[in-house]
Amino acid sequence: MLHFTNEGAENKLTSPVTLVLSNLSNMLQLKALELLFSWFCLLTLSGITPGHMDTNGSGVVRVVVEEGRDAILPCSLSTKENAEEKLFDWKKDGPKEIFFYDGGIHYNNGRPGQDQQFKGRVSHFQDELKYGNTSIIIRNTKVTDRGDYTCEFPRLQPRQIFHIQLVVDLTFRNRLNEITGAAAEPSITIVDVTEFGALLQCEVRGAFPKPTVEWQDSAGNKLTAEEPQVSEREGHFYITLQTTVKKTKTNHFHCVVQQDDIGHIISSNITLPEKLFEDTYSRGVVAGLFGGIFLGAVILAAVQGLLVATKIITVRCNKGAADEKQKNRKKNKRGEESNLQAPPGSRPQENGFCRAHSEEV
């Protein structure tokens, strides 16, 4: 018997077998959706956030979760058969043991071998095993949880293995006691205080990976600083950063160190006393005052020296003129005629006398 179905303007020929297969496929899809819906309802009621999941062309499932949240890594038998008596093994980055289950025996009920990093943080969904769901949950995810995971069924024929990539979105915080190489609290020193402000220095020692260092004011605004001095020893970085600050409302400043690769941030603070800037201003005023006084004294000494030199020249000129006149009177007494016949060069030269004495002075 043949059945006709009308779809738009076209008639399609459908056999009973095709209808049965189509109905069966729809029933299986509906059942899968029901299971998935019930699973997510269970997670929601339990307060668990599965995170964002997607796949790429290679079939690897990618799970993205915020740091500190719980992450669900999905894994299910393709046959959806009961997995309560099965063996499945979860590993990270190859050999690292995450969760091992064998017929009811697993890491959370006495089985040894779990990696120390995951102890007490990984569990499975016992009630979901009968549906073939062997997913696990990692609680309170950390940066170090990022990586490639595998879910394997080694006893099945054919062997089944699933690949999951976990991405943990970082939240910046102090990780000094969590991650090797995280920068320690930087040291702050006052290098100098001048009329231009206070020169502050921030030092970071032995950080890895290489951090960024910056100065900030009390409001978190980045301050202009000098070029950082960076050195590297055995893969660890040593950084010195200086900045000159002026008086503000709070006189509060921060040196902030951040390592993006590991989500680490740490800072040191300094509050400069008001008196520091007042003393700076006073020193500037005093320096300017003394500079002005010194310059004034130099000018005054120069003027006085010039006046004294002028007075000496005037006195010598006057005295020389008087002596010359007295000599001329004596000459006049000896004989008025000889004086009149004397050549012009022998007459008194008062101006020449004064010039001679001026040159001596």
Side-chain angles (χ1 to χ4, degrees), residues 236-276:
H236 291 74
F237 292 87
Y238 298 77
I239 302 176
T240 300
L241 185 66
Q242 294 184 345
T243 186
T244 299
V245 298
K246 295 182 178 296
K247 178 182 176 182
T248 65
K249 290 182 179 180
T250 61
N251 292 333
H252 195 65
F253 305 97
H254 314 273
C255 178
V256 182
V257 183
Q258 185 168 307
Q259 291 168 290
D260 294 341
D261 293 342
I262 59 175
H264 175 59
I265 187 169
I266 193 170
S267 64
S268 292
N269 311 312
I270 186 172
T271 301
L272 301 177
E274 191 86 9
K275 191 174 183 299
L276 183 71

Side-chain angles (χ1 to χ4, degrees), residues 187-201:
S187 61
I188 296 178
T189 53
I190 303 173
V191 178
D192 194 13
V193 180
T194 67
E195 64 272 20
F196 301 108
L199 179 61
L200 304 180
Q201 178 171 288

Side-chain angles (χ1 to χ4, degrees), residues 8-28:
E10 296 182 357
N11 292 330
K12 292 187 177 179
L13 192 64
T14 307
S15 68
V17 176
T18 303
L19 288 175
V20 172
L21 291 177
S22 177
N23 291 335
L24 182 60
S25 175
N26 290 336
M27 289 176 61
L28 290 174

Side-chain angles (χ1 to χ4, degrees), residues 116-172:
Q116 186 67 33
Q117 175 185 339
F118 295 93
K119 282 191 175 181
R121 294 198 300 125
V122 181
S123 59
H124 68 302
F125 301 94
Q126 182 64 40
D127 294 337
E128 293 293 314
L129 290 178
K130 57 178 172 281
Y131 305 114
N133 185 353
T134 58
S135 303
I136 60 171
I137 180 170
I138 302 177
R139 300 189 182 278
N140 188 26
T141 53
K142 302 177 180 180
V143 178
T144 51
D145 293 338
R146 294 182 298 183
D148 297 320
Y149 292 76
T150 56
C151 172
E152 184 179 4
F153 297 89
R155 291 178 182 170
L156 290 183
Q157 296 297 329
R159 190 175 188 176
Q160 293 189 25
I161 184 169
F162 301 88
H163 298 271
I164 300 92
Q165 181 185 48
L166 177 60
V167 178
V168 181
D169 284 343
L170 295 175
T171 55
F172 283 94

